[in-house]
Amino acid sequence: GAPDVTLFTARSTFPAFNGWKMTVLLEELKAADKFSSGGFNVRELDLDKREQKEPWFLKINPNGRIPALVDHRSNDYAIFESGAIMQYLADVYGEGFLLPLDRAARYDVLQWLFFQCAGVGPIQGQAHAFLRYVPEPVPYAADRFRNETRRLYEVLDRRLERSEYIAGNDYSIADISLFPWVAYHPWAGQDIGDLPSLRRWCDLIGARPAVQRGLEYN
């Protein structure tokens, strides 16, 4: 059958953290039989050829970035921004899986999802940039973003001292959103050896078959 949704992500020589959030979530939904027989489709844009800036894609995502999603079961509804896509997929296809229906539990998940989207992602992304990609060293910026990434990791470690998963006792889109970033912590100059709860969680999430399949994209 035809796919339920199409994800637009990146074909790139660099890790596509926000794309991995999507492919892991799609694999988890598929493993839980949340899609029809057509499942989902993944289209990898060639960022080196600036395919994400072409007019047809800008109609899907006016910001010209990955990821973006088209829901074929809802009249080809298009949505962009990784956090919004994750909430959409969990709401429309999850039916309580990965995003609880109970209001308090739901917002426990959403606050940590937004913590990733507004905190860990942008800050760690800048750490990657200043540690790896700039043409000449900018020590102040490299130190600032590396140290702030460490502070955010310490927040996560303290949280995970009290619960098995980020948002409580159940696995959720909050875990999926954070995992690719934390799993690649050396890219941001981080060592989580002295953050035992974060390390435990990283091993727990990384052992999930759908997570492993999701990371095989890109």
Side-chain angles (χ1 to χ4, degrees):
D4 290 340
V5 299
T6 295
L7 170 72
F8 295 89
T9 183
R11 181 184 302 124
S12 172
T13 50
F14 304 117
F17 298 96
N18 285 328
W20 279 332
K21 287 157 50 176
M22 303 297 106
T23 50
V24 168
L25 173 53
L26 290 168
E27 289 287 352
E28 290 283 11
L29 290 168
K30 181 180 178 182
D33 291 324
K34 298 297 185 180
F35 292 124
S36 68
S37 60
F40 62 88
N41 181 45
V42 175
R43 172 147 180 207
E44 294 181 337
L45 303 181
D46 190 331
L47 301 191
D48 296 327
K49 293 182 178 176
R50 294 180 59 79
E51 202 175 355
Q52 77 278 16
K53 303 298 184 185
E54 292 179 4
W56 69 268
F57 185 69
L58 292 175
K59 291 179 181 176
I60 296 170
N61 181 358
N63 195 29
R65 305 285 292 275
I66 66 100
L69 183 98
V70 172
D71 186 351
H72 305 300
R73 276 181 22 188
S74 296
N75 299 313
D76 287 341
Y77 177 72
I79 183 169
F80 68 98
E81 283 297 323
S82 62
I85 297 169
M86 296 187 84
Q87 185 173 344
Y88 178 87
L89 285 170
D91 276 337
V92 175
Y93 290 92
E95 300 168 322
F97 174 59
L98 301 175
L99 182 59
L101 301 176
D102 172 77
R103 184 167 65 183
R106 177 183 177 83
Y107 279 92
D108 284 345
V109 170
L110 291 176
Q111 65 186 351
W112 289 104
L113 173 66
F114 294 161
F115 177 84
Q116 187 280 310
C117 293
V120 172
I123 295 297
Q124 186 169 332
Q126 292 296 325
H128 295 167
F130 284 106
L131 288 169
R132 295 180 170 272
Y133 302 139
V134 291
E136 54 195 48
V138 187
Y140 170 79
D143 288 345
R144 167 170 162 62
F145 290 112
R146 180 171 48 217
N147 293 340
E148 180 64 3
T149 300
R150 170 67 188 197
R151 187 190 71 78
L152 294 170
Y153 279 20
E154 290 172 356
V155 172
L156 291 172
D157 187 66
R158 288 194 298 272
R159 167 62 183 172
L160 288 162
E161 289 174 1
R162 300 189 290 113
S163 61
E164 185 171 13
Y165 296 101
I166 291 291
N169 294 324
D170 296 318
Y171 179 60
S172 74
I173 55 174
D175 300 287
I176 295 171
S177 73
L178 283 155
F179 175 75
W181 295 90
V182 178
Y184 270 72
H185 58 269
W187 273 66
Q190 303 299 313
D191 181 350
I192 62 172
D194 60 341
L195 300 174
S197 297
L198 187 60
R199 200 170 67 245
R200 168 196 63 76
W201 169 85
C202 215
D203 291 342
L204 177 68
I205 305 304
R208 295 180 67 91
V211 172
Q212 294 169 7
R213 288 193 299 273
L215 295 179
E216 289 172 2
Y217 294 83
N218 185 40

